[in-house]
């Protein structure tokens, strides 16, 4: 029996070499991690989890949480990570849609989650940030030898929810083949080896921190400093012991604010990587001037893993996302006709390759609508490929805000605001923000005589939307600008409020 992704991880695992460093002291070796993953997989088997069952996980970042992901791969379960910021209202939707057999949550959340899970018959177990919890209690009683479930390249490894421009979130189905092929490509493209020590400060419920950072580390037999969250000071302190950092642009903006960031601090670092949101050319330039390092920017999506990367050797050009990765085809088409455009012309970015997901969970029509007849995934990003082959992302064809690397779909936020008593309608936009790249901003029209203020709106959203989706500013207006078709002209609003978060 073979297990497509986990077999490769097992083969790459260098025995008693370190896998995870915590607080710069406690070390999880590869053997430790493999043993615990076996015990957890055995515990899940005892609970009745079978290949193909979904295991939804909303827990704080910890070594045990990453090892739970490995256990899911081994048991053939489909790993479904959820942002810790999601409210119970948001969780309710994911549970109803994915119908997980097992939910793993923090002890403090257990009561609330059990109420939601009950109608679906899902089992609820716990795992806390310090590695304790009922799932680990069960695992301790189990043997570490587990016969891995047979999984082929086409079998599902994970479902990651990604919001949609219309309607509710969609579950992107990622196969063992998608994850393994992309991780091997990135490992080789970025020259990651067992000598590498990665500073891992990203959340582990998204593609960047889970698949790019973790799978690449595993497949190189490298190790990582696992930080519970990003803290610029802590990251600078760790740099002398590390060789790599992966981050969203906000990491680099915040690192530049540290007076301790200089050439000496980065002396042992081999590679700084940025992605998930556009890295401003000025951040790239400033970072290079301060440290001597050209940040390597790459471009990816939940649905496709990584698509392009600036080169390891060769010119890393600020404001571009580099070349299509080996095995990945990227083309630019005219949105109206689908005709492939020549170099330098801007259009829709489309992607094909072993990295591209299998489709949206239980949404065949939505899946079909996102692919061209010849099998390219329509990214929703607007861009061009220049004469030298570098891909540039120049805008978005989708109404999406990216704040600190998290995606926020305005339609979802507008839907919640519009339900609030005293609101006629709203428009949610992203405008330049010095820390988060874009700041979620709501323009709200009140009913005549309504006394509702900014505070009341924020408080009404509290239990409905994750904190990062909530507007940083709410502006009241008499009406919203519309075109002749009656569509809100968000470009006008974005211009009008472009300086809202400008530094004084
Ligand atoms: C936290 N807050 C955010 C936010 N993160 N608000 C907007 N956008 C965000 N990204 C909220 C907090 O809840 C808090 O609310 C307030 O803003 C300030 O918090 P903070 O302490 O400054 O934030 P911090 O915890 O430091 O988090 C910021 C961050 C984090 C940038 C470090 O958001 C982060 O790690 N982002 C990475 C996201 C990521 O991994 N994306 C990859 C997606 S995969 P309050 O209550 O204080 O008002 C993908 C594919 C690909 O896109 O290509 O990789
Ligand atoms: P997600 O759905 O969270 O995976 O976000 C994917 C989106 O993030 C892409 O469609 C892009 O819009 C954006 N993105 C990712 N990497 C980059 C990058 N390097 N530059 C610009 N946008 C990016």
């Amino acid at each position: 029996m073979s297990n497509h992704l986990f077999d490769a991880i097992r083969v790459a695992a260098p025995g008693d070499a370190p896998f995870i460093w915590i607080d710069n002291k406690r070390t999880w070796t590869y053997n430790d991690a493999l043993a615990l993953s076996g015990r957890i997989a055995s515990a899940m088997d005892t609970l009745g989890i079978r290949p193909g069952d979904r295991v939804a996980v909303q827990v704080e970042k910890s070594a045990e949480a990453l090892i739970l992901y490995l256990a899911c791969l081994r048991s053939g379960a489909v790993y479904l990570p959820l942002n810790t910021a999601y409210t119970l209202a948001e969780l309710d939707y994911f549970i109803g849609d994915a119908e997980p057999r097992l939910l793993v949550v923090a002890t403090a959340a257990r009561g609330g989650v059990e109420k939601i899970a009950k109608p679906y018959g899902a089992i609820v177990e716990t795992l806390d940030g310090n590695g304790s919890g009922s799932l680990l209690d069960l695992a301790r009683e189990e043997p570490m030898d587990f016969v891995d479930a047979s999984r082929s390249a086409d079998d599902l490894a994970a479902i990651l929810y990604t919001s949609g421009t219309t309607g509710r979130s969609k579950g992107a189905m990622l196969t063992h083949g998608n994850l393994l092929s992309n991780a091997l490509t990135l490992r080789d493209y970025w020259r990651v080896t067992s000598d590498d020590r990665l500073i891992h400060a990203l959340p582990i419920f998204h593609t960047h921190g889970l698949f790019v950072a973790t799978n690449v580390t595993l497949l190189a037999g490298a190790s990582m400093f696992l930080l519970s969250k990003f803290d610029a000071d802590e990251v600078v302190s760790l740099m002398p012991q590390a060789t790599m950092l992966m981050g969203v642009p906000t990491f680099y903006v915040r690192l530049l604010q540290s007076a301790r960031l200089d050439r000496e601090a980065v002396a042992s670092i081999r590679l700084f990587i940025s992605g998930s949101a556009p890295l401003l050319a000025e951040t790239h330039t400033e970072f290079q001037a301060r440290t001597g390092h050209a940040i390597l920017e790459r471009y990816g999506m939940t649905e496709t893993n990584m698509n392009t990367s600036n080169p390891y050797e060769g010119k890393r050009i600020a404001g571009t996302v580099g070349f299509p990765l080996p095995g990945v085809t990227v083309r630019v088409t005219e949105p109206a006709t689908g005709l492939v455009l020549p170099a330098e012309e801007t259009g829709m970015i489309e992607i094909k390759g072993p990295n591209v997901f299998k489709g949206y969970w239980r949404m065949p029509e939505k899946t079909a609508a996102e692919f061209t007849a010849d099998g390219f995934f329509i990214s929703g990003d607007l861009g061009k490929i220049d004469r030298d082959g570098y891909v540039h992302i120049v805008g978005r064809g989708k109404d999406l805000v990216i704040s600190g690397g998290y995606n926020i779909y305005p339609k979802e936020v507008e839907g919640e605001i519009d339900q609030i008593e005293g609101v006629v309608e709203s428009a949610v936009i992203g405008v330049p923000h010095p820390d988060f790249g874009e700041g979620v901003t709501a323009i709200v029209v009140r009913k005549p005589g309504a006394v509702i203020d900014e505070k009341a709106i924020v408080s009404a959203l509290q239990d409905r939307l994750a904190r990062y989706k909530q507007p940083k500013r709410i502006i009241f207006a008499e009406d919203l600008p519309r075109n002749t078709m009656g569509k809100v002209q968000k470009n006008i609003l974005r211009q009008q409020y472009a300086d809202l978060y400008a530094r004084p």
Side-chain angles (χ1 to χ4, degrees), residues 20-217:
I20 292 173
W21 306 84
I22 287 178
D23 291 340
N24 213 355
K25 292 190 285 282
R26 200 167 134 212
T27 306
W28 284 80
T29 66
Y30 273 86
N31 280 342
D32 293 337
L34 293 188
L36 183 61
S37 70
R39 289 187 202 281
I40 299 177
S42 302
M44 292 199 300
D45 186 55
T46 306
L47 288 171
I49 310 306
R50 299 287 166 258
D53 283 346
R54 275 77 59 209
V55 173
V57 179
Q58 188 189 37
V59 298
E60 291 301 329
K61 188 174 174 183
S62 67
E64 290 81 357
L66 273 185
I67 294 168
L68 170 57
Y69 156 65
L70 297 180
C72 287
L73 293 179
R74 297 184 67 173
S75 70
V78 181
Y79 186 70
L80 197 168
L82 294 164
N83 194 322
T84 44
Y86 290 150
T87 61
L88 280 180
E90 290 167 304
L91 219 60
D92 193 20
Y93 169 76
F94 297 121
I95 297 174
D97 192 57
E99 296 186 278
R101 183 92 194 82
L102 171 66
L103 271 145
V104 184
V105 299
T107 304
R110 186 175 199 154
V113 172
E114 266 172 349
K115 278 196 203 99
I116 304 175
K118 204 165 176 203
Y120 304 102
I123 307 162
V124 181
E125 298 294 346
T126 62
L127 175 61
D128 292 320
N130 62 5
S132 65
S134 65
L135 185 67
L136 272 277
D137 293 342
L138 294 174
R140 260 189 290 278
E141 307 298 315
E142 297 281 347
M144 64 181 198
D145 296 321
F146 177 79
V147 181
D148 299 340
S150 168
R151 294 281 91 180
S152 68
D154 198 42
D155 283 319
L156 293 195
I159 295 179
L160 266 61
Y161 274 85
T162 149
S163 304
T165 41
T166 54
R168 301 304 302 258
S169 293
K170 301 167 285 187
M173 299 189 288
L174 293 148
T175 64
H176 277 241
N178 293 149
L179 301 184
L180 180 58
S181 68
N182 207 239
L184 291 173
T185 300
L186 295 174
R187 178 194 69 184
D188 297 343
Y189 205 77
W190 295 337
R191 314 271 204 278
V192 186
T193 71
S194 56
D195 290 335
D196 275 304
R197 279 157 281 129
L198 172 75
I199 299 179
H200 191 312
L202 290 157
I204 54 168
F205 39 70
H206 281 308
T207 298
H208 199 163
L210 182 62
F211 301 140
V212 183
T214 306
N215 285 344
V216 168
T217 300

Side-chain angles (χ1 to χ4, degrees), residues 482-487:
R482 291 182 187 277
N483 64 15
T484 49
M485 309 288 287
K487 196 170 176 311

Side-chain angles (χ1 to χ4, degrees), residues 83 85 160 201-210 212 229-231 247-251 254 274-277 298-307 402-408 435-436 438-440 462 466-470 472:
N83 194 322
L160 266 61
L202 290 157
I204 54 168
F205 39 70
H206 281 308
T207 298
H208 199 163
L210 182 62
V212 183
K229 59 173 286 202
F230 176 79
D231 177 273
V248 296
T250 301
F251 284 20
R254 291 186 182 181
S274 177
S276 309
R298 72 4 170 231
Y299 159 58
M301 290 182 74
T302 301
E303 287 92 334
T304 62
N305 296 282
M306 298 305 103
N307 303 312
I402 305 185
S403 166
Y406 286 143
N407 289 8
I408 296 110
D435 186 33
F436 291 124
E438 291 176 321
V440 177
Q462 215 53 44
R467 193 85 185 108
Y468 70 88
K469 296 180 189 171
Q470 296 175 20
K472 298 279 177 223

